[in-house]
Amino acid sequence: MADDAAFFGNGLWDPAALSSWTPLTAATFDCGLIGYDAEQAFIFWVEEED
């Protein structure tokens, strides 16, 4: 990916701050990462049902 690539996820995992999570699917748990630049993009998403 290029140096100016942007990345997004549905959660904030920071031990020093309040954590947050916004589900994208109806699954019990889901998390993912979306990244893109001018030439390419990807989505990596995982979900789990209990």
Side-chain angles (χ1 to χ4, degrees), residues 3-46:
D3 290 339
D4 63 346
F7 299 93
F8 302 94
N10 68 325
L12 171 65
W13 297 277
D14 184 353
L18 294 175
S19 296
S20 68
W21 172 59
T22 305
L24 182 68
T25 69
T28 304
F29 301 103
D30 74 348
C31 65
L33 181 65
I34 298 170
Y36 71 93
D37 62 19
E39 296 183 13
Q40 52 195 344
F42 73 88
I43 299 173
F44 178 75
W45 216 264
V46 178

